[in-house]
């Protein structure tokens, strides 16, 4: 009997192949997209969970009073170690690291690498696997290094590089060989080796070598720039750890820090999702909802066409009833047909997954896990989807049509035809509403992302290229870089060049607390510090509002520049009123004099409002990282080639790894750009699914009403009049769907936009455009489908009567 159900089901699918293909395609698109999103979300939820004892690992996050004071991901450098030493019943282990970038060479290979100067506990605490070397001793001796497998191949052409050496440059211009003591198996994404998007460390050096790089001691309580992690003892409570942290701060931290700092242990399994104001978590929620909407649209589409198509089989049911067919047999038959269609769509989706995942990975900017790497319970999802969707799609025709009496069935009549139409229209309306929500969301996301790149940033990013330089943090090193900068500035392809420690990429250097000289030292203003030369404003075309900027004579010791936000924060009424005023920084004996005031500009993303900025002169601060080039318009590729050639002459052995500011901004808004791409993909899929549904339903409706159309033509109805009959049916549904979708989309997107300090204003445009577009596309499909029937010879359709 079961074999017969499947055989009959397959015959009916072949008989109605057009509607079967429409059903399978829509469901296939929905299931494939849902599988991809599900795998992506699962992969993001696994970040940090594969680390050793992940349930007891915590990241120490700083919270500072006021705004723009210090960096949340760094904290007091001794705190983690002292927790382990002073509270052994609470803390089982700790890890701290100081992140740097420096030039690394091996023979003729020269690159700039991200390096971690970290505690020797890294390998044992997190269980990172070494492909070569002894994990117990790999990070013990000075001038040794553990490198990733990819880095080993990059420099040595093989993974087993233990015993080999690389040369690393210090910040005073010297170089030293570091012996490779371990090769790290490329770790899964985590917040230890890759804390944020700007830092993907590939070389790990023990902290007993920090003096070579001139870094501040990790035992200095004034050092607040160290990412720190702890591992709790089994049974230890986080409340006990927070109390211990507070006691250590009160006992050891300097006054200015003690009064302003609170350290919060964040579970490492949650940190990745919560950082950056929960940006990743919001991304996952958004994509999950989009996937759910797309799948619902596909299911509704499937159900709707199944219901509409099932009504055409009333006579078949009547004949089978006359021949002794039982109701349970009809129910099983319809459910089997539904199951077969859903199974085919699901198998196609599983087969397409390996082909679609690289494409989707390019959209979201992350690798999508292979099906084989997913847990067993995840692979059960497609089976559950098959059974659930088959039941949802088959239950109505199975139970309602099989309950019709034999005489009505033989006449092809359905007692509940009114309810059938109402249900079908409700499902179509639901589908249109979801499609409109997705379309509106995509338009708003696109407009907001466009704002990031079109809104005045306060500086001119066009034709600006930045590249990190070798570091010699000494007066002689800065003077040498000044000479090199002038050589580049003399090139005909370059209009300006500046030497600085920071560029506007959100990757800040220092955030000092500043107060008026002679004022209350406890009432400080947190400011973003920029260390630059005299050409910074001209290169980035930042306007000067009052006073003067730095000059090239190195006479600006003790002079600082601030922006308009800093002027307001310090309480000066106008930029001019701030000129000549004096400022202090707690712990620094220098009295700084304000020499000039610049306009405001964006340093971080538009999630944050523009804040106070203070400029220090690179000739007195001596730290530097970047040369930024303002290119002249023209052949950009030729200009870059010329700079690269000059770079190799002026700084041999140093790599020219450049990035346009446009690309820097793309990195700053990576998650938003990924969301935009995902929303665009969802828009295409939702349109495909909803239009497949409309195509199938219009085709069925025209097929059922072909004699009605012929009679209307005989009685004098025109082709436009007949077409309007079908248009009116769907126009009302689209309008009702819009009435439901607009407030839902407005609520959802207002919440999303509220996370940005600078955002678009919601106008009627992003709501009207999708409604009009969906209406016009639906209209086109209706016209194309009805035109053929309306133009047909009516006698051909009526001759059987």
């Amino acid at each position: 009997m079961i074999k017969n159900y499947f055989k009959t089901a397959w015959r009916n699918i072949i008989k109605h192949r057009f509607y079967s293909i429409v059903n399978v395609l829509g469901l296939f698109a929905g299931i494939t997209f849902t599988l991809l999103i599900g795998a992506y979300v699962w992969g993001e939820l696994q970040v940090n969970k594969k680390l050793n004892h992940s349930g007891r690992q915590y990241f120490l996050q700083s919270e500072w009073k006021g705004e723009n004071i210090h960096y949340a991901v760094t904290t007091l450098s001794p705190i983690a170690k002292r927790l382990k030493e002073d509270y052994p019943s609470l803390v089982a282990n700790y890890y701290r690291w100081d992140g740097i970038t420096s030039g690394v060479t091996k023979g003729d290979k020269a690159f700039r690498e991200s390096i971690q100067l970290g505690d020797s506990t890294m390998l044992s605490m997190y269980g990172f696997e070494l492909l070569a070397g002894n994990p117990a001793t790999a990070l013990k001796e000075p001038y040794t290094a553990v490198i990733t497998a990819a880095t080993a191949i990059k420099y040595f052409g093989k993974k087993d590089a233990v015993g080999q050496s690389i040369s690393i440059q210090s910040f005073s211009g010297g170089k030293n060989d570091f012996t490779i003591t371990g090769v790290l198996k490329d770790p899964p994404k985590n917040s230890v080796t890759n804390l944020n998007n700007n830092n993907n460390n590939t070389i790990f050096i023990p902290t007993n070598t920090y003096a070579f790089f001139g870094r501040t001691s990790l035992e200095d309580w004034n050092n607040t720039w160290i990412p720190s992690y702890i591992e709790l003892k089994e049974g230890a409570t986080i409340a006990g750890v927070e109390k211990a942290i507070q006691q250590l701060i009160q006992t050891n931290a300097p006054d200015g820090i003690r009064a302003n700092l609170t350290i919060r242990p964040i579970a490492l399994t949650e940190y990745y999702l919560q950082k950056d104001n929960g940006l990743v978590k919001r991304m996952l929620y958004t994509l999950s909802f989009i996937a759910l909407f797309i799948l619902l649209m596909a299911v509704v589409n499937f159900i709707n066409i199944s219901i509409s198509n099932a009504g055409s089989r009333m006579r078949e049911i009547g004949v089978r009833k006359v021949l002794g067919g039982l109701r349970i047999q009809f129910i099983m038959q319809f459910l089997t047909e539904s199951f077969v269609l859903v199974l085919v769509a699901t198998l196609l989706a599983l087969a397409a997954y390996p082909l679609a995942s690289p494409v989707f990975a390019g959209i979201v900017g992350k690798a999508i896990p292979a099906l084989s790497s997913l847990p067993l319970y995840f692979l059960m999802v497609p089976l559950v989807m098959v059974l659930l969707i088959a039941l949802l799609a088959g239950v109505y025709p199975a139970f309602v049509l099989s309950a019709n009496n034999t005489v009505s069935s033989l006449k092809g009549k359905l007692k509940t035809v009114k309810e059938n139409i109402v249900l079908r229209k409700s499902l179509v309306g639901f589908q249109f509403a979801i499609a409109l929500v997705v379309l509106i969301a995509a338009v708003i996301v696109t407009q907001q992302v466009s704002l990031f790149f079109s809104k005045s940033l306060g500086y001119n990013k066009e034709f600006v290229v930045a590249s990190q330089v070798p570091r010699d943090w000494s007066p002689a090193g800065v003077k040498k870089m000044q000479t090199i900068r002038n050589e580049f500035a003399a090139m005909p392809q370059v209009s300006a060049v500046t030497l600085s420690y920071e560029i506007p990429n959100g990757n800040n250097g220092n955030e000092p607390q500043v107060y008026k000289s002679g004022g209350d030292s406890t009432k400080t203003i947190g400011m973003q510090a920029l260390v630059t030369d005299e050409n910074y404003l001209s290169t980035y075309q930042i306007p000067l509002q009052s006073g003067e900027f730095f000059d090239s004579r190195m006479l600006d010791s003790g002079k600082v520049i601030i922006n308009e936000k800093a002027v307001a924060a310090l309480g000066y009424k106008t930029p001019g009123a701030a000129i000549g005023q004096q400022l202090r920084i707690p712990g620094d004996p220098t009295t700084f004099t304000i020499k000039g005031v610049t306009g405001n500009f964006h340093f971080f993303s538009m999630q944050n409002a523009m804040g106070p900025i203070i400029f220090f002169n690179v000739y007195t601060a001596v730290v530097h990282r970047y040369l930024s080039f303002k290119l002249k318009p023209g052949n950009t590729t030729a200009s870059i080639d010329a700079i690269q050639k000059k770079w190799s002459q002026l700084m041999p052995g140093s790599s020219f790894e450049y990035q346009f500011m446009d690309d820097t901004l793309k990195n700053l808004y990576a998650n938003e750009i990924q969301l935009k791409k995902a929303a665009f993909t969802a828009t295409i899929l939702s349109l495909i699914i909803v239009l497949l549904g409309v195509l199938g339903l219009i085709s069925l409706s025209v097929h059922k009403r072909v004699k009605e159309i012929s009679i209307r033509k005989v009685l004098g109805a025109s082709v436009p009049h007949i077409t309007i009959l079908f248009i009116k049916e769907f126009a009302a549904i689209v309008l009702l769907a819009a009435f439901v979708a607009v407030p839902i989309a407005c609520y959802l997107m207002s919440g999303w936009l509220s996370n940005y300090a600078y955002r678009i204003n919601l106008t009627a445009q992003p709501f009207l455009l999708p409604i009009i577009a969906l209406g016009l596309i639906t209209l086109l499909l209706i016209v194309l489908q009805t035109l053929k029937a309306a133009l047909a010879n009516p006698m051909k359709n009526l001759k059987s009567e």
Side-chain angles (χ1 to χ4, degrees):
M1 179 62 75
I2 295 177
K3 181 180 179 181
N4 187 58
Y5 289 145
F6 279 97
K7 185 182 294 184
T8 306
W10 185 252
R11 286 174 178 170
N12 275 302
I13 290 170
I14 297 300
K15 180 179 179 182
H16 304 95
R17 61 175 60 90
F18 173 77
Y19 306 110
S20 299
I21 291 172
V22 168
N23 251 340
V24 168
L25 284 178
L27 204 53
F28 159 74
I31 293 174
T32 303
F33 188 71
T34 303
L35 287 175
L36 291 169
I37 291 290
Y40 169 76
V41 170
W42 179 84
E44 291 292 272
L45 293 176
Q46 300 313 300
V47 174
N48 297 328
K49 290 186 178 178
K50 295 182 179 180
L51 300 176
N52 199 25
H53 302 144
S54 60
R56 305 204 308 268
Q57 303 285 359
Y58 284 80
F59 177 70
L60 300 183
Q61 183 166 285
S62 296
E63 294 178 3
W64 295 85
K65 290 182 182 177
E67 295 181 355
N68 303 305
I69 303 177
H70 289 273
Y71 202 21
V73 299
T74 62
T75 192
L76 290 165
S77 60
I79 194 81
K81 182 179 179 183
R82 288 290 299 273
L83 282 169
K84 168 68 168 63
E85 294 174 346
D86 295 3
Y87 301 92
S89 61
L90 294 174
V91 176
N93 215 337
Y94 69 94
Y95 178 63
R96 307 162 299 171
W97 58 268
D98 188 358
I100 63 174
T101 60
S102 189
V104 178
T105 57
K106 177 64 180 178
D108 61 349
K109 296 178 180 178
F111 300 96
R112 182 157 295 277
E113 303 285 359
S114 293
I115 301 171
Q116 272 192 18
L117 295 168
D119 291 311
S120 61
T121 53
M122 185 188 81
L123 298 176
S124 60
M125 184 166 166
Y126 298 107
F128 292 131
E129 181 183 346
L130 288 185
L131 298 176
N134 184 350
T137 59
L139 290 171
K140 292 290 187 182
E141 298 300 320
Y143 298 102
T144 58
V146 171
I147 61 178
T148 61
T151 306
I153 294 173
K154 181 177 177 180
Y155 286 95
F156 305 104
K158 59 181 180 178
K159 291 183 179 180
D160 187 3
V162 171
Q164 301 283 341
S165 65
I166 52 177
S167 180
I168 303 179
Q169 187 178 37
S170 72
F171 296 162
S172 60
K175 288 186 176 182
N176 202 87
D177 286 343
F178 284 72
T179 302
I180 308 301
T181 52
V183 176
L184 186 69
K185 181 181 179 181
D186 291 329
K189 186 171 177 60
N190 64 82
S191 298
V192 179
T193 62
N194 185 13
L195 182 61
N196 54 47
N197 292 331
N198 294 319
N199 129 275
N200 186 18
N201 297 292
T202 58
I203 299 176
F204 306 87
I205 295 173
T207 53
N208 51 25
T209 318
Y210 70 82
F212 171 72
F213 295 97
R215 308 302 278 180
T216 305
S217 169
L218 295 186
E219 312 311 317
D220 185 351
W221 286 91
N222 283 296
N223 185 353
T224 61
W225 300 101
I226 303 299
S228 301
Y229 309 75
I230 57 173
E231 179 185 319
L232 268 57
K233 284 271 191 180
E234 282 193 68
T237 64
I238 199 63
V241 174
E242 288 179 335
K243 184 177 179 181
I245 290 173
Q246 193 58 33
Q247 289 173 347
L248 286 172
I249 292 175
Q250 292 302 316
T251 305
N252 300 283
D255 291 343
I257 294 175
R258 183 168 61 244
N260 292 297
L261 174 64
T262 301
I263 298 176
R264 303 285 185 197
I266 307 294
L268 204 53
T269 52
E270 289 294 320
Y271 172 73
Y272 177 71
L273 303 176
Q274 294 180 6
K275 70 174 185 176
D276 300 328
N277 196 26
L279 190 60
V280 174
K281 182 178 281 189
R282 295 200 310 272
M283 177 82 163
L284 297 184
Y285 275 130
T286 303
L287 288 178
S288 297
F289 278 120
I290 289 174
L292 179 62
F293 286 160
I294 295 294
L295 183 61
L296 279 174
M297 286 181 62
V299 171
V300 166
N301 187 47
F302 188 89
I303 293 171
N304 219 350
I305 294 180
S306 296
I307 290 172
S308 300
N309 194 28
S312 64
R313 298 174 61 184
M314 290 305 304
R315 288 190 175 87
E316 174 195 335
I317 293 172
V319 171
R320 293 179 67 173
K321 280 189 173 184
V322 169
L323 297 175
L326 301 176
R327 186 184 181 192
I328 186 63
Q329 293 174 326
F330 302 137
I331 292 172
M332 290 301 298
Q333 183 62 56
F334 281 111
L335 289 176
T336 301
E337 290 178 20
S338 180
F339 174 80
V340 170
L341 282 173
V342 178
L343 182 62
V344 169
T346 304
L347 291 175
L348 287 174
L350 291 172
Y353 182 92
L355 302 175
S357 54
V359 177
F360 190 70
I363 292 171
V364 297
K366 301 281 179 68
I368 306 299
L371 286 174
S372 58
S373 67
L374 298 173
L376 186 60
Y377 69 81
F378 191 93
L379 299 179
M380 295 296 291
V381 172
L383 179 59
V384 173
M385 289 171 62
V386 168
L387 296 174
L388 186 60
I389 297 172
L391 183 63
L392 287 172
V395 70
Y396 181 87
F399 285 90
V400 175
L401 298 184
S402 63
N404 211 30
N405 64 56
T406 305
V407 175
S408 297
S409 297
L410 286 171
K411 291 180 178 180
K413 296 179 179 179
L414 183 63
K415 291 181 179 179
T416 56
V417 67
K418 184 177 181 180
E419 289 80 1
N420 186 321
I421 294 172
V422 171
L423 176 62
R424 182 165 58 85
K425 288 186 176 181
S426 300
L427 291 174
V428 172
F430 177 75
Q431 198 176 36
F432 273 123
I434 292 178
L436 284 173
V437 169
V438 174
L439 287 168
I440 292 168
V443 172
I444 292 174
V445 168
T446 300
Q447 290 183 346
Q448 179 65 15
V449 172
S450 298
L451 175 71
F452 297 151
F453 296 94
S454 62
K455 179 179 171 62
S456 174
L457 299 168
Y459 65 91
N460 188 349
K461 62 181 173 58
E462 302 302 325
F463 300 106
V464 176
V465 179
S467 179
Q468 293 200 38
V469 297
R471 300 176 194 177
D472 181 354
W473 289 354
S474 65
V478 174
K479 190 169 181 61
K480 178 181 177 182
M481 286 308 307
Q482 182 188 36
T483 303
I484 290 173
R485 180 205 64 190
N486 293 341
E487 290 275 349
F488 281 119
M491 296 177 65
Q493 299 88 351
V494 177
S495 61
V497 188
T498 182
L499 176 69
S500 66
Y501 187 75
E502 295 89 355
I503 60 174
N505 64 353
N507 187 17
N508 60 333
N510 193 10
E511 294 177 339
Q513 301 174 64
V514 180
Y515 65 97
K516 291 182 180 179
S517 181
D520 188 349
S521 62
T522 62
K523 295 180 179 179
T524 57
I525 309 292
M527 297 189 186
Q528 168 63 48
L530 301 184
V531 179
T532 76
D533 66 5
E534 69 276 12
N535 296 335
Y536 200 80
L537 295 196
S538 59
T539 302
Y540 284 95
Q541 297 183 0
I542 299 169
L544 184 68
Q545 301 298 338
S546 185
E548 298 177 340
F549 200 63
F550 301 129
D551 61 42
S552 60
R553 296 172 295 172
M554 302 187 186
L555 301 176
D556 286 319
S557 178
K559 302 290 180 65
V560 294
I561 314 296
I562 60 175
N563 69 344
E564 290 177 295
K565 285 285 186 179
V567 170
L570 290 166
Y572 302 120
K573 291 184 178 180
T574 64
I579 304 300
Q581 300 295 328
Q582 294 183 325
L583 304 176
R584 295 289 304 275
I585 296 174
D588 190 329
T590 308
T591 297
F592 297 96
T593 302
I594 300 174
K595 183 180 182 182
V597 176
T598 73
N600 296 322
F601 60 94
H602 284 281
F603 185 86
F604 297 98
S605 80
M606 290 186 193
Q607 278 195 337
N608 310 101
M610 287 187 286
I613 291 176
I614 183 168
F615 292 80
F616 296 95
N617 196 314
V618 72
Y619 302 121
T620 53
V622 304
V623 296
H624 55 270
R625 287 190 294 182
Y626 293 96
L627 276 178
S628 299
F629 303 85
K630 182 76 170 181
L631 305 181
K632 292 179 179 178
N635 190 334
T636 303
T637 302
S639 298
I640 292 295
D641 289 341
I643 291 173
Q644 189 161 18
K645 184 178 180 180
K646 190 77 169 177
W647 185 287
S648 63
Q649 294 172 357
L650 297 174
M651 293 176 283
S654 173
S655 59
F656 177 55
E657 300 173 27
Y658 66 92
Q659 192 169 45
F660 281 91
M661 283 306 301
D662 280 327
D663 295 325
T664 300
L665 287 177
K666 288 177 183 178
N667 290 334
L668 198 59
Y669 297 112
N671 281 294
E672 287 84 357
I673 292 172
Q674 290 162 12
L675 181 60
K676 175 186 172 182
K677 292 179 180 178
F680 179 76
T681 304
T683 298
I684 298 297
L685 284 174
S686 62
L687 280 174
I688 289 172
I689 292 170
V690 76
L691 295 179
L692 280 173
V694 170
L695 178 66
L697 290 173
I698 290 293
S699 179
L700 273 170
S701 184
V702 170
H703 178 72
K704 291 178 181 178
R705 299 173 65 180
V706 67
K707 287 186 173 61
E708 175 194 338
I709 293 170
S710 299
I711 292 171
R712 287 178 179 273
K713 284 197 68 175
V714 170
L715 296 176
S718 64
V719 172
H721 177 78
I722 294 170
T723 304
I724 288 172
L725 287 176
F726 292 92
I727 291 174
K728 287 195 296 185
E729 181 180 350
F730 280 88
I733 298 173
V734 172
L735 291 175
L736 184 61
F739 183 77
V740 173
V742 167
I744 293 174
C746 183
Y747 173 77
L748 292 175
M749 298 314 296
S750 295
W752 182 74
L753 288 171
S754 67
N755 293 295
Y756 297 93
Y758 302 92
R759 51 187 178 267
I760 62 170
N761 294 318
L762 285 181
T763 62
Q765 183 189 25
F767 299 94
L768 289 176
L769 286 178
I771 294 170
I772 293 171
L774 188 60
L776 288 176
I777 296 172
T778 304
L779 175 65
L780 179 63
L781 274 180
I782 293 171
V783 170
L784 292 175
Q785 285 287 301
T786 56
L787 208 55
K788 182 180 178 181
L791 291 174
N793 186 348
M795 298 308 296
K796 183 179 178 181
N797 294 325
L798 294 173
K799 64 182 180 180
S800 60
E801 301 294 332

